[in-house]
Every structure is written in C-alpha cells, then in structure tokens.
C-alpha cells in the first residue's frame, strides 16, 4: 500500500494526552471524517470530523485535522480516512520510555577519546612557542568529530535541568555519570588565566570515516568570551549535582567557574571567528551579553554573592533596550533563550530555582517575560496547520522548536495553564511524525525515520546509530543537495533524508539534549 498522507505521532501518545491527526487535501478527498482503528481487532473505536487546518506558508496549506483525545485505552491503533491508513501508533503512559533511553544512549555513543580516537596532543593555535596541550574526552559534537565548548555546555545544561525537573525519567540511565564525562573534558579546555578555548578539532572536516581513522593534527582554537562565559555558567550549576557524592569534584567545578568569571570581569568581549586555517564549525556569536548573564546568574546561585546578581541584572536591563527585528530572530532584544547562541534562559531558570532569594519585583518581571514569550509561541502554533510554534524554519529547526517548548514548559510550571503544556507537547508530535513529510525525525524510532543521516560514524559503518534527532526542515537551503532537490518547496518540506544534506539531516548533541528536556517532563 502506498504511503498515505495521514500524519500522526508514530511513536504514540500517553493515555490522557491531547491527540490530533493531520490529513492532506488529496488524501481527504470527499471524506468528512476519520476513524481510529484498533490494530489487533480491526474495529473502529472512534470516528471524528475532519476540519480545515490553518493555511500557513511554512507548510504550504491545504491540510485538515481531527481530534481523537477521547481515545484513552492502551493499545496499538491506526487512523483511517476513506480507504487510506496511517502508520500505526501506540497509546500507553510509558510510550516515551524507550525513545528517551535511545536519545540518551546517543551521548555515550558520541564519546571521544577513551584510548580509541583523537588521542594525540593538540596544537594551541597562534602559539609562538609551539605550545601543545593534551585534551581528552568529551562528546563528538554532531556529524563531525569536533568538540565545541558552546555546544557542549548548552547540552549539559539541558540534561541537568531535565534531571532536576524529572529525575525519575533517568532511572535506567546514569545521567550524572555521562554528564561528568563531558565536564571533565570541559575542565581541560580552560587556560591557566581562566579563559577557555573555543573548541578542539582538526583543522578541516574529515571524510566519512570512523573517528579512530581521523589522524590529522588537532588544534585548540583561540579563546572566546562565549566559551568562557558558557563554561562558567555550566560548571557552576553542575557543581550542585556532585557536591554530596563527590565534594572534591564539585569544588573543582566551582573554582574553575570562578576563575573563568574573574577572567571575564577583567577582559573585554572576545568574539570568535574561525582563523583562515581552521574550517570546522565556528559557533560564532556577535552578542555575548546573554552568555555573561548566564554565567553571573549561575555563580550567584552557587555562591550567594550579591555582586554576581547585580552585574547579571545590569546586562539584562541593557539587552532589554535593544529593538527586536522580526526578520532576523537573532536580533531579538531580550528573550529567555535556550539555543547555543541564546543562553539567557538558562540563567533565568537558575534564578527561578532561587526565587525565595530574589526581590519580588524582579520575580514578577521574570514571570511576565516568560509568560509573554510563551503566549507568542501559542499564537504562532494556533496559526500553523501542524501546531508548529515557530515562524522561522532554519538550520536545526527540530532542536529549535524543542528549545521553544522548553520556555513553554517553564510557563506551564509558573501558571498551570494547560495551553502552554499542550503546545509544548505538540512539538514532540511534530518531530515524531505529525508533520507534512510524515517523518519521525529520530533515527530508529517510529515507522519512517531517517536512514541516511549526515553523521560520519553512521555513514562509515553503514549502520545508522539510533536515537539521533535530525536537524529537520531548513528553508535556507544551505547545502548543495538541498539547493538541487528542495528549491521552491514550503519551508517545512525542505528536508532530505540524504547524507550530503548537512543543513537538514545532520545530528547534534544539543538538539538531542533539547529533545531530552521536553521528553523527560511530558
């Protein structure tokens, strides 16, 4: 049977979740309703109306939707429209357990070093004395084998915040042990004066080979404010998770964070741009006030020193004066961001953990800011055929909507409003199949998932690693494959399950961690 354009969450739904199906105009035909069919018996358990979904430019319009939230019995089902059938899905309260574990195991699979790969010393770029440094461990960042501080710290924060909010979600995985592997690498990235090298990689990306086959020279890229501030914020926060079991390690993390912050206090912004000899991922950032804010909030939380909070709030007020540019979301004024270029949300979430120590007017302002931001995501979701909560479909869009769902879940915690929770959950549905391409974007999950990710170990071994979140649709068409095959399509259809399409089908640790954060709480 040909694949029907009936779009559902292919992994499934918890019993009491809100449940929606989406259907293309061509598949709907003359049908006015849909049926939910129990797979084992073939019997219809529910019939509902199909109504027109909003027409939006991102999906191209012409879709219909139906609600089957009233189906709450555990089991396996599919949706039928006319004579066409959707992929099967499950209803169970533990429906995301296996998926969550799979996404977590990706980090273990992404470990570098351990006597296997990248075991040589690295050159310190620009050193006049030929300085070298032995840096081992950490997670390979994405489809390549670089290790990047701004990406790694964002990843650690997502995982630790998820663990703090829902520790029961990690009962079958040693999260703190896995995170410690990354933290121990981060400690090696700090210079004696407190500054932090931006990244370690080879000078250029390697072919699609296994990590142990990459033998080119390693290089430590120059220090940057973004890396140093993210390092300070991340390590200070992480220290609290180890203080009872390993107080010495916790102290090491705090002291390294303070050392990094002291460097930041005494140095102007140092923006990272790849030197001409280094062509691996840049992760550059032209505004580091949010990174500095994150570091200061975290250090205030762990030390109680008021000066850290005072300096953080100065940065917050300064950035709030910026005029947002709706055409360029990176010039957005103040936002509680959770992407690697926008880390202010991590600082704010840490402050909320210390809410009893904050002035009431500051707490009220933070609540207003988060709720206002989350309400905009609801508005965007309501205007979308697939309840997608962003107007910007760019590189890493799947990770980005998880980051927006992060904000929605905080707003839900603050208010108890179900609409915040439901829109956050809708982003999981989108990623797991309720999207116009019928893809479950996590490798090895659902019925139709990526089989040709831009991921060197998968390509070199011929075996797709499970539990990896593909970057997803990207309207920018940044790679040659996307330009050739996707031009002219609506943004949410600009995805190719093809190894060369790095702008749509690469994977990354900080996209996986963003998904883990929302899966852990939903």
């Amino acid at each position: 049977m040909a694949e029907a354009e009936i779009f559902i969450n292919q992994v499934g739904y918890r019993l009491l979740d809100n449940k929606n199906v989406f259907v293309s105009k061509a598949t709907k035909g003359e049908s006015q309703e849909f049926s939910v069919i129990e797979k084992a018996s073939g019997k219809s358990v529910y019939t509902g109306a199909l109504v027109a979904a909003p027409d939006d430019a991102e999906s191209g319009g012409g879709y219909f939707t139906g609600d089957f939230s009233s189906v709450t019995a555990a089991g396996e089902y599919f949706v039928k429209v006319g004579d066409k059938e959707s992929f099967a899905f499950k209803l169970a309260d533990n429906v995301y357990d296996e998926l969550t574990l799979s996404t977590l195991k990706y980090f273990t699979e992404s470990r570098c070093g351990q006597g296997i790969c990248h075991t040589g010393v690295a050159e310190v770029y620009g050193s006049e004395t030929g300085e070298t440094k032995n840096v081992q461990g950490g997670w390979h960042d994405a489809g390549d084998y670089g290790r990047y501080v701004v990406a790694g710290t964002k990843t650690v924060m997502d995982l630790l915040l998820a663990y703090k909010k829902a520790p029961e979600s990690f009962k079958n995985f040693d999260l703190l042990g896995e995170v410690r592997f990354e933290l121990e690498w981060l400690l090696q990235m700090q210079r004696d004066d407190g500054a932090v090298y931006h990244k370690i990689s080879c000078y250029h990306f390697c072919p699609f080979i296994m990590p142990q086959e990459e033998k080119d020279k390693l290089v430590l890229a120059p220090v940057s404010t973004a890396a140093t501030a993210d390092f300070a914020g991340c390590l200070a926060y992480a220290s609290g998770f180890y203080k009872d079991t390993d107080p010495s390690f916790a102290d090491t993390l705090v002291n390294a964070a303070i050392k990094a912050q002291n460097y930041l206090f005494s140095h102007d912004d140092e923006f990272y741009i790849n030197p001409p000899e280094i062509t691996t991922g840049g992760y550059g950032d032209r505004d580091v006030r949010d990174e500095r804010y994150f570091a200061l909030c975290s250090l205030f939380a762990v030390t109680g020193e008021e000066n850290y909070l005072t300096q953080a709030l100065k940065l917050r007020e300064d950035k709030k004066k910026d005029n947002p540019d709706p055409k360029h979301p990176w010039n957005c004024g103040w936002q509680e961001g959770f992407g690697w270029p926008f880390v202010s949300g991590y600082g704010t979430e840490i402050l909320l953990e210390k809410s009893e120590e904050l002035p009431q007017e500051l707490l009220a302002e933070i609540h207003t800011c988060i709720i206002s931001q989350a309400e905009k995501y609801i508005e965007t979701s309501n205007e979308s055929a697939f309840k997608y909560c962003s107007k910007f479909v760019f590189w890493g869009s799947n990770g980005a909507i998880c980051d927006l769902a992060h904000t929605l879940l905080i707003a839900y915690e603050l208010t108890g409003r179900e609409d915040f929770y439901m829109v956050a959950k809708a982003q999981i549905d989108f990623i797991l199949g309720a999207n116009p391409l019928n893809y479950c974007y996590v490798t090895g999950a659902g019925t139709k998932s990526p089989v040709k990710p831009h991921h060197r170990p998968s390509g070199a071994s011929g075996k797709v690693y499970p539990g990896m979140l593909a970057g997803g649709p990207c309207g920018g068409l940044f790679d040659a494959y996307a330009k050739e095959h996707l031009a002219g399509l609506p943004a949410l259809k600009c995805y190719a399950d093809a190894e060369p399409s790095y702008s749509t089908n690469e994977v990354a640790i900080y996209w996986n961690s963003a998904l883990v954060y929302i899966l852990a709480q939903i």
Side-chain angles (χ1 to χ4, degrees), residues 100-112 114 138-141 152 155-156 158-159 173 175 178-179 181-182 466-468 508-516:
T100 302
L101 184 59
S102 177
T103 60
L104 289 166
K105 287 181 176 178
Y106 163 68
F107 296 101
T108 305
E109 293 285 356
S110 299
R111 286 186 174 195
C112 182
Q114 304 180 95
W139 298 312
H140 296 142
D141 175 63
T155 303
V156 168
D158 287 340
L159 296 176
F173 186 81
L175 183 87
E178 191 60 51
V179 165
F181 185 81
E182 181 78 353
M468 303 187 299
I509 53 174
Y510 51 92
W511 298 336
N512 255 58
S513 63
L515 178 59
V516 167

Side-chain angles (χ1 to χ4, degrees), residues 284-296:
D285 194 338
R286 303 300 299 177
D287 186 344
V288 293
R289 287 173 290 175
D290 54 309
E291 282 80 9
R292 287 181 176 269
Y293 168 84
F294 164 41
L296 290 161

